[in-house]
Amino acid sequence: MNTGSDESGPVSGTPDAATTEAEANAGQRGPQGQERRGLGSRAPEFVRSRRALHLSWQVGVFVIGLAVVAAGVVMLPLPGPGWVVIFAGMAIWATEFVWAQLVLRWTKRKVTEAAQRALDPRVRRRNIVLTVTGLVIVAALAAIYIWKFGLVLPWKIRNQ
């Protein structure tokens, strides 16, 4: 049930006797120099060492992640933090599945890039100009409404 990746190194299962988890992940550092775990299962060692138990664990993680993602999808049109819940479900899946880990890495990279682009002075100037333009249009429409109908609420307007 666990998909592999093109990266070398242990993906899931038990490490061999000569390789500890710290040695397997040695040399993998994040952008700020902190240790970064490799791809694969993050299930406890005793679960990974037993194939049937590990498969049951993966099924449980998949079902729980699926329920959380489904709840997030339901929250998209309804009130609630839909996208946050969907990404929480993806994070649950990422504890066990390589494909979810890769999707989360890609998403984090894209969000970081978008945040950096938003801080670019030219983009900020463009956003300010668009916001001011929108506010001027809304103010003009409000002024036309007040000029035509006065300060009467729309549901109290009678053939004028």
Side-chain angles (χ1 to χ4, degrees):
M1 204 165 169
N2 195 356
T3 62
S5 73
D6 293 336
E7 294 185 19
S8 61
V11 174
S12 68
T14 60
D16 57 347
T19 307
T20 65
E21 189 171 348
E23 291 170 344
N25 294 323
Q28 295 182 358
R29 300 219 175 255
Q32 285 80 25
Q34 73 269 19
E35 277 293 318
R36 186 177 76 189
R37 290 195 58 167
L39 297 174
S41 177
R42 288 174 174 74
E45 182 61 35
F46 76 92
V47 171
R48 284 187 283 156
S49 65
R50 293 165 181 84
R51 179 133 177 87
L53 185 58
H54 192 219
L55 186 61
S56 302
W57 179 277
Q58 286 181 325
V59 168
V61 167
F62 183 79
V63 169
I64 291 170
L66 184 64
V68 173
V69 168
V73 169
V74 168
M75 286 183 203
L76 287 176
L78 299 175
W83 285 110
V84 174
V85 175
I86 289 172
F87 287 124
M90 288 297 295
I92 290 171
W93 279 339
T95 63
E96 204 53 40
F97 302 106
V98 173
W99 60 268
Q101 293 168 3
L102 295 174
V103 167
L104 279 180
R105 283 185 185 178
W106 179 84
T107 304
K108 287 178 186 177
R109 188 173 64 247
K110 291 299 181 183
V111 167
T112 302
E113 290 172 6
Q116 289 173 348
R117 278 194 313 266
L119 294 176
D120 181 24
R122 290 177 295 177
V123 174
R124 290 182 72 192
R125 246 188 325 271
R126 182 200 65 200
N127 290 344
I128 290 171
V129 167
L130 289 173
T131 302
V132 168
T133 304
L135 289 174
V136 166
I137 291 171
V138 168
L141 292 173
I144 291 170
Y145 176 84
I146 291 173
W147 174 71
K148 182 156 177 80
F149 299 109
L151 289 175
V152 180
L153 297 176
W155 50 85
K156 292 187 178 181
I157 294 176
R158 296 177 197 241
N159 300 326
Q160 289 186 5

